[in-house]
Amino acid sequence: MPSFGRTLSEIPPSPLVTVDRLLRAGAHAEPVPLQQGKTVFEPCARPGTWERAEFGIAAHEHAPPAGVPALRSAFADAASRRRGTAVDPGQVLVTSGATHAIAVTLHAILSPGDEVLILSPQWLFATGLVWAAGGTPREVPVFLELSEDPGFDFIAAIERAVGPRTRAIYFNNPNNPTGFRLDERALGALAELAARHDLWLIADNAYENYDFSDGGFLDTATVPGAAERTFSVHSCSKTYAMPGARVGHLISPPGAEEILTKWSLHTLYSVSTAAQYTAFRALATPADELARRRARAEQAWQLADAALEIPHTRVAGGLYTFLGLGRYGDGAEFVRRCAEAGVGLAPGQVFGGHCDGWARLCFTAAPEEAVADAIGRINKIYWEGGLDR
Amino acid sequence: MPSFGRTLSEIPPSPLVTVDRLLRAGAHAEPVPLQQGKTVFEPCARPGTWERAEFGIAAHEHAPPAGVPALRSAFADAASRRRGTAVDPGQVLVTSGATHAIAVTLHAILSPGDEVLILSPQWLFATGLVWAAGGTPREVPVFLELSEDPGFDFIAAIERAVGPRTRAIYFNNPNNPTGFRLDERALGALAELAARHDLWLIADNAYENYDFSDGGFLDTATVPGAAERTFSVHSCSKTYAMPGARVGHLISPPGAEEILTKWSLHTLYSVSTAAQYTAFRALATPADELARRRARAEQAWQLADAALEIPHTRVAGGLYTFLGLGRYGDGAEFVRRCAEAGVGLAPGQVFGGHCDGWARLCFTAAPEEAVADAIGRINKIYWEGGLDR
C-alpha cells in the first residue's frame, strides 16, 4: 500500500492501554479503575425522543454546522450569567466534546511549526492535539511547582518559554492532574503576559463544576484583558456525567465564528443532533443538584487525602490528586504493582515529560468504600517498595 | 485579538446559504428544497435507550476511540458479505459521518502541499476537506464528459493530472451530482492507474443503497488490485435516512488501524455512544426495506426524467440529476429565479470549478407531487429565460 503522510509517531497510541491490560490480567475480580477520569454520578440526561417543536429539529435531521440554535442559545445564556456580561449565541460553537473544541481551535490558530505552550502537567491529550494540528507543543512545568510553593513565579517560567513561533497558551483550570487552581490574580498575570506577546489563551474548563474553592469556578474570560484573546472550552462530560454524549462547546471572542465553523464543518459537518438534545436537557439540571455533586466530590477528596500515606498534591478542584513517588523510586513500577493488586492509577509521564515520578489517582471513579480499600492497598505497596528495593 | 493561522479562505462559508435565504425570502409559503441532498424516507432507527448488555456499553460512557466493538463487528460483517472476503473489525473505524471519515483519511495520508485528485464534479465538501487537511485539491473533470460520451478516456484525463505531489484520488460512486456510475471496468482501470503511480484511492460510497444499475452497488475494494490502496467511506445518512445521527465508517487496508485511530482520537476522542447504538439498530433494517427505498428513489428519478424539459444527466444511481443550463445562459441566475419561484436548486459551481452552467436537482428531497410541481415551475423559467434575455 502507499505510504502515510503524518503518522503522529510523536503520540503514544493510547497511554492508558497498558494499565487497562494489567488490570484485566491481574488476580482481582473487581479492579478499582482509579486511572480513569470519571465520577460515579448518574448522567444528568439520557438519550431519548422529543417533539420537533421542542428543539426546532428532528433527531434524523442533521444540525447546522455551528450547532442547533436552541442549544447555542442555551449555552450562551449560561455563559452570560456566569460571566455577568452578554455572550452572543454567535460566539458559541457546539462541538463533539472538549477534545473537538480544542482541535478546532488549534487548527484555526496554528500555521505549521507554530508553538503552543502547555502549562504542565496537563490533560493527557493536550500535546497530541497540538501535534495533530501541525503545531509543536512546549510543556512549561508550573503546577507541581505552584503546588509546592504558591509563591513560585510561574509567569517568569512561561515568559522564558515564549519564542518567536509561540501562538497560544493552553491550560486546564482547575488542573488535571494536580488539582491546583489558578486564582484571579494568577489568571490576571497570565492574561497580561498573553497581551504582551499577542498570544491566544486556550482555557480548558472541563472541571468547572468541581472547583472546591470559596470563590468557586473562575471563567478566564472574565479576567481583565482576557476576553478578546480567550477560547473557552467547556465539556458536558464531567459536569453532567455524560462523556458518552460527546458534547462540549467553545466560546470565542466575537469575529471568530465563520473561521471556527468552517474548521468544525470540515472535521465532522455537525454534532449528532440527538446528542445535542441530550445536552440541552442536561443544561436544565437544577443548580442545587450540581452543587450536591460538587460537595460529594470534595468529600471524596477529603477522604482520599486523609487515607493516603503517599505524598500527594493538595486539591482545590477537579477529580484527581497527583501522587509523588520520589521516595518509592520508579513511578512506572509503582503503577504496575498497583495494577497487579487491582488498583488502576494513571502513570505520571502521560501528563508531562517531567512527571515520571508521579501517578494520578481519580478519587471519584469508584464508590467511597472502594476508593478507601484501594488506597489501603496502594499505601501498603508504597511502604513495601521503600523496604525491598 | 491575535491573528488566525489558517482561515480556510479557499472555502466558501456555506455554499447553499444563499439558496436557503432566497427560498425563505421568496413569495412561496412552502418552498420545495430540491437543493438539499436527502430523501423523504423515515429514518431506519431513532435514538433510544437500551440495556447495557445489548451493546456492551451504557449511553453515558464514552466509547473506545475506534468505535464500540459491537458496531465495528457489525460493519465488518456487512462488509465481508458485500465483498465476499473477510473484513476484520480492526479495519473498521467508526466515524462521525462520512465527512469525518474523509477528514481522518486525508490528515493521515497528506503532508503539507500534497495533492489529491478529485474526480469532478464532486460532493460539495470534498475540496474543502483537502484544504483543511493541508493538501491541495485538483479537480479532474470526468463525470460530465462520461455522461456525454461513455467512451471518454477518463483515465488519460486523470493521468495528465498526476504530478509528483499527487497522493490520492477521491471519487464518489454513484456520483453526486451527476448520477454517473463507474462500472467494474472503469474502476479496474482506475485501480491500475493508482497502482502505477502508487496512489491511494478514497472511495466515497455515500450512495451505496441507491445504485439503480443491474449489477447494483460496486464496492471499489473488490476490484482487482484495489483493496490494498482503498479507503472505503460509508455513511448511514443516506442509506438509513438518518443524517442527524452523524455516524459513518471507514474501512481501510490492514495495517492502518493505529494511525487512523490516532487521527480520529485527536479530532473528537470518540463518536457519540448513543449515535453508535442508533446506527447499530439501523444495520438490522431488512434488505427488502432497503430495496424498496432504492426502487422508490429510482421511480422518483424516472418521474423527474420524464417531466424535465431541461437537458440533464442520465442517472445510474444516487439522488440527483445535474441540469445543463447552457441554453439558458447564466446558471447562477437560473438558480436565483427558481428560488424566487419557491424551488431550491444547488448552483453548479459548488460541485466543481467548471460547472457554472449547471445546477443540481435532488429528486428525492420532497414527495412525488411536490417534485413534479417544482419541475413544472423550473421548466417554465427555463423556457422564459430563453426568450426574454
Side-chain angles (χ1 to χ4, degrees):
Chain A
M1 69 186 181
S3 62
F4 287 90
R6 297 175 52 212
T7 59
L8 299 184
S9 53
E10 311 90 344
I11 310 172
S14 183
L16 297 180
V17 161
T18 313
V19 174
D20 284 338
R21 205 177 49 234
L22 285 170
L23 277 182
R24 275 198 302 269
H28 280 260
E30 286 193 48
V32 190
L34 306 187
Q35 82 279 15
Q36 295 180 9
K38 66 174 193 177
T39 65
V40 293
F41 305 149
E42 290 293 304
C44 290
R46 295 177 192 278
T49 53
W50 66 91
E51 293 300 316
R52 200 181 185 291
E54 183 187 353
F55 199 44
I57 186 169
H60 68 277
E61 296 172 334
H62 61 264
V68 173
L71 182 59
R72 294 178 83 189
S73 292
F75 281 140
D77 288 350
S80 300
R81 283 193 301 273
R82 184 173 63 238
R83 295 186 179 181
T85 175
V87 171
D88 189 86
Q91 294 174 251
V92 175
L93 180 74
V94 178
T95 62
S96 185
T99 308
H100 179 227
I102 298 169
V104 164
T105 301
L106 291 169
H107 274 96
I109 64 175
L110 297 180
S111 298
D114 280 351
E115 295 179 3
V116 177
L117 304 184
I118 294 181
L119 304 197
S120 186
Q122 71 277 357
W123 176 52
L124 79 174
F125 294 118
T127 52
L129 284 164
V130 176
W131 288 120
T136 302
R138 299 252 176 250
E139 295 176 352
V140 184
V142 302
F143 289 115
L144 291 172
E145 292 72 7
L146 285 166
S147 294
E148 185 75 20
D149 168 18
F152 171 71
D153 189 353
F154 80 108
I155 293 294
I158 300 170
E159 192 94 47
R160 280 191 299 274
V162 174
R165 299 299 304 268
T166 308
R167 301 284 292 134
I169 301 171
Y170 165 89
F171 61 100
N172 179 292
N173 196 40
N175 176 247
N176 165 14
T178 63
F180 192 85
R181 172 185 185 266
L182 296 168
D183 63 13
E184 195 150 7
R185 206 163 59 114
L187 288 177
L190 189 61
E192 260 180 56
L193 178 150
R196 210 153 54 233
H197 296 281
D198 199 26
L199 306 178
W200 293 104
L201 294 174
I202 305 174
D204 181 345
N205 304 301
Y207 297 94
E208 61 188 299
N209 192 50
Y210 298 100
D211 188 321
F212 311 141
S213 65
D214 293 339
F217 172 68
L218 190 54
D219 188 325
T220 300
T222 61
V223 169
E228 72 190 61
R229 60 185 67 253
T230 299
F231 293 102
S232 298
V233 175
H234 298 269
S235 166
C236 291
S237 297
K238 304 297 191 289
T239 302
Y240 303 113
M242 39 188 262
R246 313 304 310 133
V247 180
H249 66 286
L250 182 65
I251 305 180
S252 310
E257 179 178 2
E258 183 180 302
I259 293 170
L260 294 170
T261 303
K262 274 188 190 178
W263 276 107
S264 185
L265 189 159
H266 290 91
T267 9
L268 47 65
Y269 191 76
S270 62
V271 174
S272 163
T273 304
Q276 292 193 55
Y277 178 71
T278 307
F280 184 69
R281 279 185 41 234
L283 268 178
T285 307
D288 60 357
E289 169 61 20
L290 295 179
R292 195 180 65 79
R293 292 170 182 230
R294 177 165 50 251
R296 279 185 61 193
E298 188 176 7
Q299 182 181 312
W301 149 241
Q302 286 162 348
L303 292 171
D305 183 36
L308 276 166
E309 295 170 10
I310 307 167
H312 57 277
T313 53
R314 300 214 62 72
V315 174
L319 309 177
Y320 316 97
T321 183
F322 217 32
L323 310 180
L325 303 166
R327 181 180 169 283
Y328 184 90
D330 185 337
E333 191 193 328
F334 183 76
V335 167
R336 189 178 56 73
R337 288 199 182 184
C338 291
E340 285 167 2
V343 180
L345 297 175
Q349 71 264 27
V350 307
F351 303 100
H354 63 302
C355 300
D356 267 3
W358 298 78
R360 188 188 75 174
L361 179 149
C362 177
F363 44 75
T364 54
E368 277 178 14
E369 322 75 60
V371 174
D373 174 65
I375 289 178
R377 274 185 268 164
I378 67 172
N379 281 340
K380 191 153 167 286
I381 292 166
Y382 183 75
W383 290 120
E384 284 169 2
L387 299 173
D388 69 10
R389 287 164 51 78
Chain B
M1 68 185 179
S3 63
F4 287 90
R6 297 174 52 211
T7 60
L8 299 184
S9 53
E10 309 90 344
I11 311 172
S14 183
L16 297 179
V17 161
T18 313
V19 175
D20 284 338
R21 205 177 49 233
L22 285 170
L23 277 182
R24 277 197 302 270
H28 280 259
E30 286 192 49
V32 189
L34 305 187
Q35 81 280 15
Q36 295 181 11
K38 65 174 193 178
T39 65
V40 293
F41 305 148
E42 290 293 304
C44 290
R46 295 178 191 277
T49 53
W50 66 92
E51 295 299 317
R52 199 181 187 291
E54 184 187 353
F55 199 43
I57 186 170
H60 67 279
E61 297 172 333
H62 60 264
V68 173
L71 183 60
R72 294 178 83 190
S73 292
F75 281 140
D77 288 349
S80 300
R81 283 193 301 273
R82 184 173 62 239
R83 295 187 180 181
T85 175
V87 171
D88 189 86
Q91 294 173 249
V92 176
L93 180 75
V94 178
T95 62
S96 185
T99 309
H100 180 227
I102 297 169
V104 164
T105 301
L106 292 169
H107 274 95
I109 64 175
L110 298 180
S111 298
D114 279 350
E115 295 180 2
V116 177
L117 303 186
I118 294 179
L119 304 197
S120 187
Q122 71 276 357
W123 175 52
L124 80 174
F125 294 118
T127 52
L129 284 165
V130 176
W131 288 120
T136 302
R138 298 253 177 251
E139 295 176 352
V140 184
V142 302
F143 289 115
L144 290 172
E145 292 72 7
L146 285 166
S147 295
E148 185 74 20
D149 169 17
F152 171 72
D153 189 354
F154 80 108
I155 293 293
I158 300 169
E159 192 95 48
R160 279 192 297 275
V162 174
R165 298 300 304 269
T166 308
R167 303 282 293 132
I169 301 171
Y170 165 90
F171 61 101
N172 180 291
N173 196 39
N175 177 248
N176 164 15
T178 64
F180 192 85
R181 172 186 185 265
L182 296 169
D183 64 13
E184 195 149 8
R185 207 162 59 112
L187 288 177
L190 190 60
E192 260 180 56
L193 178 149
R196 210 152 54 234
H197 296 281
D198 199 25
L199 306 178
W200 293 103
L201 294 174
I202 304 173
D204 181 344
N205 304 300
Y207 298 94
E208 61 188 298
N209 192 51
Y210 298 99
D211 189 320
F212 310 141
S213 66
D214 293 340
F217 172 67
L218 190 54
D219 187 326
T220 299
T222 62
V223 169
E228 71 190 65
R229 59 185 66 256
T230 299
F231 293 102
S232 298
V233 174
H234 297 269
S235 166
C236 291
S237 297
K238 304 297 190 291
T239 302
Y240 304 112
M242 40 188 260
R246 311 306 308 132
V247 180
H249 66 286
L250 182 66
I251 306 181
S252 309
E257 179 178 4
E258 183 180 303
I259 293 169
L260 294 170
T261 303
K262 275 188 189 179
W263 276 108
S264 185
L265 188 159
H266 290 90
T267 11
L268 49 63
Y269 190 78
S270 62
V271 174
S272 163
T273 304
Q276 292 192 55
Y277 178 72
T278 308
F280 183 69
R281 279 185 42 234
L283 269 178
T285 306
D288 62 355
E289 169 62 19
L290 295 179
R292 196 180 64 79
R293 291 170 182 229
R294 177 166 47 253
R296 280 185 60 191
E298 187 176 6
Q299 181 180 311
W301 149 241
Q302 286 162 347
L303 292 171
D305 183 37
L308 276 165
E309 296 169 11
I310 307 167
H312 57 278
T313 54
R314 300 215 63 72
V315 174
L319 310 176
Y320 317 96
T321 182
F322 216 32
L323 310 180
L325 303 166
R327 180 179 171 284
Y328 185 89
D330 186 336
E333 191 193 329
F334 183 76
V335 167
R336 189 180 56 73
R337 287 199 185 184
C338 291
E340 284 166 2
V343 180
L345 297 175
Q349 71 265 26
V350 308
F351 304 100
H354 61 303
C355 300
D356 266 3
W358 298 78
R360 188 188 75 173
L361 179 148
C362 176
F363 43 76
T364 54
E368 277 179 13
E369 321 76 62
V371 174
D373 175 65
I375 289 177
R377 274 185 268 165
I378 67 172
N379 281 339
K380 189 153 171 284
I381 292 166
Y382 182 75
W383 290 120
E384 284 169 3
L387 300 173
D388 70 10
R389 285 162 52 76

